[in-house]
């Protein structure tokens, strides 16, 4: 005899819209804002895209620290352009998240209230000029490795935003490599500064890819929905494989004594990452977490007059239109 409990255990037939969603994902096609989507898919995208946008905005701080001290006019101009690009990336990404039904103010409030995450990497200080090189080479390099597959993310506005972002990230990565190359061809003190910077940024850049696969609660579902195309560990491994020949070309040493090619695995063996450090940074206790948030809040308050002026202008325009 079928009991009510048995009936409850039988999965409901997927609705027509659920079937349509599954077909689009299966066909590697794209979900657009007008399409029906499961609530959990929408929430995951809002989480990932808004975190990504916040990372771009907070990510302006470590480099803007060097705009006034860049060693030449050329370097200053390049750095200003790069930091402006990061602001642009944040804006494309906030716009993509807005198509999912969340307002920009709400995302911003979550960030200012300390409720939203941004990438762990931006909670480290930039004490030397070589850090501009290491950020470009390692941080933007990791970003490219992680973000090129996101150009094929199943959500249309996110994938399209990523195409442009990745093009700009390539320029960022090159300029960082070139800063390090110039330092490595310089005096012993410059070479030492470059190596010291690589030593400090290498491990945090590997942490950008997120926790190991067996501790990544979101990966399986995000991969099934084709938001993520590769796991955190797969991308991290790919990144290390890219870095090794580039480090050789630069003449810098990657600070991992265990790093060596494993013929059988066709990949590099490496030391265990210090996940305690990662967890500490995520918990708000990294070297620069408090400073980054304080600066972001100050910048928001300093910009209040711009928001008020823009709102007043929009009101006047609307009133004029109504009268006409
Ligand atoms: N930092 O289940 P998991 C840039 C969180 S911008 C902080 O693997 P998921 C640049 C994760 O959010 C770089 N938190 O998550 C800008 C989750 O927490 P919640 C930013 C991290 O989403 C300016 C929990 O840990 N790039 O490149 O499947 C200048 C469990 O993780 C981190 C992006 O945002 C981290 N590193 O995978 C220069 C790329 N890692 O939300 C450069 C887009 C993990 O459950 N995002 N967490 O509380 C992604 O690809 C994915 O979201 C991640 C994480 C691979 C980062």
């Amino acid at each position: 005899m079928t009991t009510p409990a048995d009936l409850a255990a039988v999965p409901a037939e997927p609705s027509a819209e659920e079937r349509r969603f599954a077909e689009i994902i299966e066909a590697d096609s794209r979900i657009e804002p007008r399409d029906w989507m499961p609530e959990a898919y929408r929430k995951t995208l809002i989480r990932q895209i808004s975190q990504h946008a916040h990372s771009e905005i907070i990510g302006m701080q470590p480099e803007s620290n060097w705009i006034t001290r860049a060693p030449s006019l050329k370097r200053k101009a390049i750095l200003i352009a790069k930091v402006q690009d990061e602001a642009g990336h944040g804006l494309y990404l906030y716009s993509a998240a807005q198509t999912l039904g969340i307002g920009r103010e709400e995302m911003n409030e979550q960030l200012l209230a300390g409720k939203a995450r941004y990438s762990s990497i931006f909670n480290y200080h930039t004490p030397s000029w070589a850090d501009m090189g290491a950020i470009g080479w390692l941080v933007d390099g990791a970003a490219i490795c992680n973000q090129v597959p996101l150009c094929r993310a199943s959500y249309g506005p996110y994938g399209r935003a990523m195409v442009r972002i990745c093009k700009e990230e390539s320029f960022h990565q090159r300029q960082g490599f070139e800063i390090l190359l110039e330092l490595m061809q310089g005096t012993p003190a410059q070479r030492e500064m470059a190596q010291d910077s690589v030593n400090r940024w290498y491990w945090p850049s590997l942490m950008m890819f997120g926790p190991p696969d067996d501790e990544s609660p979101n990966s399986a579902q995000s991969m099934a929905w084709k938001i993520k195309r590769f796991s955190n560990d797969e991308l991290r491994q790919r990144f290390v494989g890219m870095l090794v020949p580039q480090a050789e070309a630069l003449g810098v040493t990657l600070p991992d004594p265990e790093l060596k090619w494993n013929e059988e695995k066709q990949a590099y063996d490496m030391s265990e990452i210090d996940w305690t450090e990662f967890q500490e940074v995520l918990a708000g206790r990294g070297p620069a977490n408090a400073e980054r948030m304080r600066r972001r809040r100050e910048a928001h308050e300093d910009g209040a007059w711009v928001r008020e002026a823009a709102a007043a202008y929009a009101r006047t325009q609307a009133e004029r239109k109504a009268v006409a």
Side-chain angles (χ1 to χ4, degrees):
M1 197 180 86
T2 313
T3 65
D6 290 337
L7 280 177
V10 176
E13 269 290 298
S15 64
E17 49 197 11
E18 284 168 337
R19 280 202 306 275
R20 176 85 194 111
F21 174 82
E23 276 162 20
I24 295 175
I25 300 289
E26 174 63 25
D28 243 333
S29 188
R30 281 202 147 147
I31 303 292
E32 295 297 338
R34 60 172 182 269
D35 294 328
W36 180 89
M37 61 189 84
E39 204 39 38
Y41 177 82
R42 184 190 300 276
K43 283 209 175 112
T44 290
L45 281 165
I46 291 179
R47 178 184 65 79
Q48 178 164 329
I49 303 173
S50 64
Q51 286 177 0
H52 193 165
H54 299 327
S55 304
E56 300 282 356
I57 298 301
I58 298 277
M60 296 162 74
Q61 291 187 35
E63 289 172 290
S64 60
N65 179 35
W66 275 92
I67 290 176
T68 52
R69 293 177 288 151
S72 69
L73 182 61
K74 184 182 107 180
R75 291 293 182 199
K76 192 192 282 270
I78 295 173
L79 194 57
I80 290 174
K82 180 180 191 289
V83 173
Q84 278 179 341
D85 283 353
E86 313 300 357
H89 297 175
L91 298 185
Y92 310 152
L93 288 163
Y94 282 130
S95 300
Q98 281 175 282
T99 65
L100 291 155
I102 184 167
R104 183 147 335 161
E105 288 79 15
E106 194 180 339
M107 289 185 271
N108 195 42
E109 274 161 23
Q110 290 170 352
L111 175 65
L112 296 181
K115 289 186 191 148
R117 292 194 190 284
Y118 59 87
S119 182
S120 50
I121 194 74
F122 302 116
N123 293 305
Y124 292 85
H125 288 119
T126 46
S128 83
W129 168 251
D131 291 343
M132 300 304 98
I135 289 185
W137 180 45
L138 296 172
V139 176
D140 290 281
I144 293 170
C145 212
N146 166 263
Q147 292 171 18
V148 165
L150 290 175
C151 297
R152 294 193 292 123
S154 56
Y155 187 58
Y158 190 30
R160 287 190 288 274
M162 291 316 305
V163 172
R164 179 149 176 200
I165 291 176
C166 284
K167 284 185 183 159
E168 293 175 353
E169 297 290 17
S170 306
F171 147 69
H172 297 170
Q173 198 260 359
R174 286 303 183 93
Q175 65 87 40
F177 184 88
E178 205 253 336
I179 289 176
L180 289 180
L181 189 63
E182 197 164 316
L183 290 173
M184 289 306 290
Q185 289 167 352
T187 63
Q190 285 173 319
R191 285 201 290 280
E192 201 181 305
M193 180 167 71
Q195 182 63 58
D196 168 67
S197 182
V198 170
N199 293 348
R200 285 182 289 106
W201 289 93
Y202 178 73
W203 291 108
S205 76
L206 296 192
M207 294 175 198
M208 285 175 72
F209 294 92
D213 291 350
D214 51 7
E215 286 167 36
S216 162
N218 302 300
S219 277
Q221 184 58 77
S222 286
M223 286 172 76
W225 278 328
K226 297 184 180 166
I227 297 171
K228 282 168 94 161
R229 298 285 179 155
F230 299 97
S231 76
N232 299 354
D233 286 332
E234 280 168 342
L235 290 174
R236 191 168 10 248
Q237 188 74 50
R238 183 182 290 192
F239 178 55
V240 170
M242 272 169 44
L243 287 183
V244 171
Q246 294 177 5
E248 274 165 23
L250 282 172
V252 294
T253 309
L254 296 175
D256 180 0
E258 306 281 314
L259 189 66
K260 71 170 183 304
W261 179 249
N262 182 325
E263 192 57 40
E264 206 178 306
K265 274 191 351 198
Q266 287 294 298
Y268 282 91
D269 286 331
M270 47 178 141
S271 309
E272 184 62 25
I273 291 176
D274 180 1
W275 292 113
T276 320
E277 175 180 323
F278 177 71
Q279 292 306 340
E280 282 292 293
V281 173
L282 258 59
R285 294 187 288 269
N289 293 59
E291 186 183 323
R292 299 290 180 245
M293 287 308 299
R294 192 182 59 244
R295 181 69 204 109
R296 181 87 280 288
R297 289 190 188 109
E298 275 168 13
H300 184 72
E301 280 159 27
D302 290 349
W305 70 272
V306 179
R307 291 189 296 280
E308 279 160 24
Y313 178 75
R315 247 189 336 266
T316 327
Q317 289 298 306
E319 279 163 15
R320 280 204 193 135
K321 228 185 200 165
V323 171

